[in-house]
PDB file of all heavy atoms in Angstrom:
ATOM      1  N   THR M 348     -23.065  67.806  37.164  1.00 98.00           N
ATOM      2  CA  THR M 348     -23.614  66.939  36.182  1.00 98.00           C
ATOM      3  C   THR M 348     -23.800  65.521  36.735  1.00 98.00           C
ATOM      4  O   THR M 348     -24.921  64.886  36.433  1.00 98.00           O
ATOM      5  CB  THR M 348     -22.536  66.761  34.983  1.00 98.00           C
ATOM      6  OG1 THR M 348     -22.429  68.112  34.438  1.00 98.00           O
ATOM      7  CG2 THR M 348     -23.084  65.825  33.963  1.00 98.00           C
ATOM      8  N   GLU M 349     -22.987  64.957  37.500  1.00 98.00           N
ATOM      9  CA  GLU M 349     -23.113  63.681  38.003  1.00 98.00           C
ATOM     10  C   GLU M 349     -24.238  63.583  39.056  1.00 98.00           C
ATOM     11  O   GLU M 349     -25.027  62.659  39.102  1.00 98.00           O
ATOM     12  CB  GLU M 349     -21.789  63.145  38.700  1.00 98.00           C
ATOM     13  CG  GLU M 349     -20.640  63.085  37.719  1.00 98.00           C
ATOM     14  CD  GLU M 349     -20.959  62.145  36.557  1.00 98.00           C
ATOM     15  OE1 GLU M 349     -21.580  61.120  36.717  1.00 98.00           O
ATOM     16  OE2 GLU M 349     -20.477  62.399  35.433  1.00 98.00           O
ATOM     17  N   LEU M 350     -24.346  64.622  39.897  1.00 98.00           N
ATOM     18  CA  LEU M 350     -25.452  64.668  40.905  1.00 98.00           C
ATOM     19  C   LEU M 350     -26.841  64.754  40.180  1.00 98.00           C
ATOM     20  O   LEU M 350     -27.763  64.040  40.585  1.00 98.00           O
ATOM     21  CB  LEU M 350     -25.200  65.817  41.784  1.00 98.00           C
ATOM     22  CG  LEU M 350     -24.081  65.829  42.715  1.00 98.00           C
ATOM     23  CD1 LEU M 350     -23.902  67.131  43.489  1.00 98.00           C
ATOM     24  CD2 LEU M 350     -24.342  64.649  43.766  1.00 98.00           C
ATOM     25  N   LEU M 351     -26.963  65.530  39.110  1.00 98.00           N
ATOM     26  CA  LEU M 351     -28.128  65.663  38.422  1.00 98.00           C
ATOM     27  C   LEU M 351     -28.521  64.315  37.773  1.00 98.00           C
ATOM     28  O   LEU M 351     -29.777  63.953  37.737  1.00 98.00           O
ATOM     29  CB  LEU M 351     -28.094  66.680  37.314  1.00 98.00           C
ATOM     30  CG  LEU M 351     -28.075  68.137  37.835  1.00 98.00           C
ATOM     31  CD1 LEU M 351     -27.787  69.130  36.662  1.00 98.00           C
ATOM     32  CD2 LEU M 351     -29.396  68.476  38.469  1.00 98.00           C
ATOM     33  N   ALA M 352     -27.539  63.579  37.313  1.00 98.00           N
ATOM     34  CA  ALA M 352     -27.802  62.258  36.667  1.00 98.00           C
ATOM     35  C   ALA M 352     -28.440  61.289  37.741  1.00 98.00           C
ATOM     36  O   ALA M 352     -29.175  60.416  37.357  1.00 98.00           O
ATOM     37  CB  ALA M 352     -26.553  61.761  36.042  1.00 98.00           C
ATOM     38  N   THR M 353     -27.899  61.411  38.973  1.00 98.00           N
ATOM     39  CA  THR M 353     -28.546  60.471  39.966  1.00 98.00           C
ATOM     40  C   THR M 353     -29.927  60.704  40.223  1.00 98.00           C
ATOM     41  O   THR M 353     -30.686  59.727  40.539  1.00 98.00           O
ATOM     42  CB  THR M 353     -27.699  60.558  41.339  1.00 98.00           C
ATOM     43  OG1 THR M 353     -27.924  61.846  41.932  1.00 98.00           O
ATOM     44  CG2 THR M 353     -26.210  60.357  41.089  1.00 98.00           C
ATOM     45  N   LEU M 354     -30.401  61.927  40.099  1.00 97.00           N
ATOM     46  CA  LEU M 354     -31.758  62.277  40.367  1.00 97.00           C
ATOM     47  C   LEU M 354     -32.730  61.589  39.391  1.00 97.00           C
ATOM     48  O   LEU M 354     -33.845  61.313  39.718  1.00 97.00           O
ATOM     49  CB  LEU M 354     -32.046  63.777  40.327  1.00 97.00           C
ATOM     50  CG  LEU M 354     -31.230  64.589  41.460  1.00 97.00           C
ATOM     51  CD1 LEU M 354     -31.587  66.025  41.313  1.00 97.00           C
ATOM     52  CD2 LEU M 354     -31.581  64.006  42.843  1.00 97.00           C
ATOM     53  N   ASP M 355     -32.238  61.283  38.171  1.00 95.00           N
ATOM     54  CA  ASP M 355     -33.029  60.564  37.168  1.00 95.00           C
ATOM     55  C   ASP M 355     -33.268  59.139  37.531  1.00 95.00           C
ATOM     56  O   ASP M 355     -34.201  58.535  37.036  1.00 95.00           O
ATOM     57  CB  ASP M 355     -32.373  60.635  35.869  1.00 95.00           C
ATOM     58  CG  ASP M 355     -32.343  62.082  35.231  1.00 95.00           C
ATOM     59  OD1 ASP M 355     -33.150  62.912  35.593  1.00 95.00           O
ATOM     60  OD2 ASP M 355     -31.449  62.366  34.456  1.00 95.00           O
ATOM     61  N   VAL M 356     -32.481  58.644  38.470  1.00 97.00           N
ATOM     62  CA  VAL M 356     -32.540  57.175  38.813  1.00 97.00           C
ATOM     63  C   VAL M 356     -33.173  57.076  40.223  1.00 97.00           C
ATOM     64  O   VAL M 356     -34.119  56.340  40.436  1.00 97.00           O
ATOM     65  CB  VAL M 356     -31.150  56.530  38.803  1.00 97.00           C
ATOM     66  CG1 VAL M 356     -31.258  55.085  39.314  1.00 97.00           C
ATOM     67  CG2 VAL M 356     -30.490  56.633  37.445  1.00 97.00           C
ATOM     68  N   GLU M 357     -32.645  57.899  41.145  1.00 97.00           N
ATOM     69  CA  GLU M 357     -33.126  57.745  42.573  1.00 97.00           C
ATOM     70  C   GLU M 357     -32.838  59.060  43.293  1.00 97.00           C
ATOM     71  O   GLU M 357     -31.695  59.334  43.614  1.00 97.00           O
ATOM     72  CB  GLU M 357     -32.445  56.631  43.292  1.00 97.00           C
ATOM     73  CG  GLU M 357     -32.863  56.466  44.687  1.00 97.00           C
ATOM     74  CD  GLU M 357     -32.064  55.364  45.419  1.00 97.00           C
ATOM     75  OE1 GLU M 357     -31.338  54.549  44.716  1.00 97.00           O
ATOM     76  OE2 GLU M 357     -32.045  55.357  46.654  1.00 97.00           O
ATOM     77  N   PRO M 358     -33.814  59.907  43.570  1.00 97.00           N
ATOM     78  CA  PRO M 358     -33.663  61.100  44.340  1.00 97.00           C
ATOM     79  C   PRO M 358     -33.076  60.806  45.724  1.00 97.00           C
ATOM     80  O   PRO M 358     -33.595  59.845  46.425  1.00 97.00           O
ATOM     81  CB  PRO M 358     -35.025  61.703  44.405  1.00 97.00           C
ATOM     82  CG  PRO M 358     -35.771  61.147  43.250  1.00 97.00           C
ATOM     83  CD  PRO M 358     -35.227  59.712  43.113  1.00 97.00           C
ATOM     84  N   THR M 359     -32.098  61.581  46.233  1.00 97.00           N
ATOM     85  CA  THR M 359     -31.523  61.310  47.557  1.00 97.00           C
ATOM     86  C   THR M 359     -31.298  62.654  48.266  1.00 97.00           C
ATOM     87  O   THR M 359     -31.150  63.678  47.593  1.00 97.00           O
ATOM     88  CB  THR M 359     -30.246  60.609  47.475  1.00 97.00           C
ATOM     89  OG1 THR M 359     -29.362  61.403  46.649  1.00 97.00           O
ATOM     90  CG2 THR M 359     -30.361  59.188  46.770  1.00 97.00           C
ATOM     91  N   LYS M 360     -31.312  62.604  49.574  1.00 97.00           N
ATOM     92  CA  LYS M 360     -31.009  63.837  50.332  1.00 97.00           C
ATOM     93  C   LYS M 360     -29.651  64.359  49.997  1.00 97.00           C
ATOM     94  O   LYS M 360     -29.434  65.546  49.862  1.00 97.00           O
ATOM     95  CB  LYS M 360     -31.027  63.458  51.907  1.00 97.00           C
ATOM     96  CG  LYS M 360     -32.385  63.268  52.443  1.00 97.00           C
ATOM     97  CD  LYS M 360     -32.365  63.235  53.946  1.00 97.00           C
ATOM     98  CE  LYS M 360     -31.633  62.048  54.479  1.00 97.00           C
ATOM     99  NZ  LYS M 360     -31.726  61.960  55.975  1.00 97.00           N
ATOM    100  N   LEU M 361     -28.681  63.408  49.863  1.00 97.00           N
ATOM    101  CA  LEU M 361     -27.284  63.794  49.594  1.00 97.00           C
ATOM    102  C   LEU M 361     -27.237  64.592  48.245  1.00 97.00           C
ATOM    103  O   LEU M 361     -26.555  65.722  48.291  1.00 97.00           O
ATOM    104  CB  LEU M 361     -26.350  62.595  49.431  1.00 97.00           C
ATOM    105  CG  LEU M 361     -24.956  62.787  49.025  1.00 97.00           C
ATOM    106  CD1 LEU M 361     -24.274  63.656  50.075  1.00 97.00           C
ATOM    107  CD2 LEU M 361     -24.253  61.491  48.860  1.00 97.00           C
TER     108      LEU M 361
END
Side-chain angles (χ1 to χ4, degrees):
T348 297
E349 298 304 325
L350 290 172
L351 287 172
T353 68
L354 297 182
D355 293 333
V356 179
E357 180 186 344
T359 60
K360 285 192 295 183
L361 176 61

